[in-house]
Amino acid sequence: MKNKSLITFYALVAAFGALVVGLNMGGISGAIDLIEKEFALSALAKGFVAGALMVGCLIGALVGGGMSDRYGRKPMLYISALLLALSAAGCAMLSNGAVGLVAFRFIGGLGVGVLSAVIPTYITEISPAKLRGTFVSLYQLLLVVGILVAYSANYFFAPMALSWHLMLGLPLVFAVVDILLLVLLPESPR
């Protein structure tokens, strides 16, 4: 029973990164109109700001699996969490226009893409066969919870002066927690 509890804990810690992914995906929904207004963005620029995360995600997903085979699952989980932290900090505190937002959201997208490849793989490799499906589904569950938290935070932050900064910066808090939790994970046995 203790072993099952430990593996459950490891699966939850690994899947926690999906919460950060969901926050990044959902956070832009409340922020984009405020960003458009503040920077007088054209429709094309608005699309680049909103879509940069997905472009980075595509590239991250394409290279994430191979990189985790080469360097290990745990190091790639760390790198992804660091990319997501950098992205959130950059979007919230360093961006002063569309170019900065696109760049930092693209960086976050790289982290999202790598995590989408590595978290389910890591969880699969640490899980016993009869619990594998349940544990891998934690990735999707926490992703959706992250989106819900982002939408709720957007509603809460909307009336505040720095609202879009808070909306896009919220994932930073969770990315830092993720980085700290990853210390507790063993490398994948595979």
Side-chain angles (χ1 to χ4, degrees), residues 38 47 58 71 84 97 119 127-128 134 149 151 164 168:
E38 183 171 328
L58 173 68
Y71 301 110
L84 288 165
I119 290 173
S127 301
T134 301
V149 169
Y151 288 169
W164 74 262
L168 296 183

Side-chain angles (χ1 to χ4, degrees), residues 9-28:
F9 174 75
Y10 290 156
L12 283 167
V13 168
F16 188 82
L19 182 76
V20 184
V21 169
L23 287 165
N24 276 277
M25 294 173 82
I28 195 66

Side-chain angles (χ1 to χ4, degrees), residues 3-154:
N3 192 29
K4 180 182 173 188
S5 298
L6 189 59
I7 292 171
T8 302
F9 174 75
Y10 290 156
L12 283 167
V13 168
F16 188 82
L19 182 76
V20 184
V21 169
L23 287 165
N24 276 277
M25 294 173 82
I28 195 66
S29 67
I32 193 64
D33 289 338
L34 300 166
I35 293 167
E36 176 188 31
K37 192 178 295 181
E38 183 171 328
F39 297 123
L41 299 181
S42 67
L44 181 63
K46 183 179 177 180
F48 276 119
V49 170
L53 186 86
M54 290 298 116
V55 175
C57 182
L58 173 68
I59 295 167
L62 287 172
V63 301
M67 290 179 70
S68 72
D69 287 343
R70 185 173 185 178
Y71 301 110
R73 311 290 185 238
K74 187 174 176 179
M76 293 313 299
L77 290 172
Y78 269 120
I79 289 168
S80 298
L82 289 170
L83 288 172
L84 288 165
L86 173 65
S87 172
C91 285
M93 296 178 268
L94 302 175
S95 295
N96 57 1
V99 174
L101 286 167
V102 168
F104 282 114
R105 284 188 48 79
F106 176 81
I107 290 167
L110 293 172
V112 167
V114 172
L115 285 180
S116 71
V118 177
I119 290 173
T121 303
Y122 177 86
I123 294 172
T124 297
E125 292 173 347
I126 66 164
S127 301
K130 64 182 176 180
L131 297 172
R132 197 167 291 142
T134 301
F135 287 167
V136 171
S137 69
L138 291 172
Y139 170 81
Q140 192 63 39
L141 175 66
L142 286 173
L143 175 79
V144 173
V145 168
I147 293 170
L148 178 62
V149 169
Y151 288 169
S152 300
N154 289 352

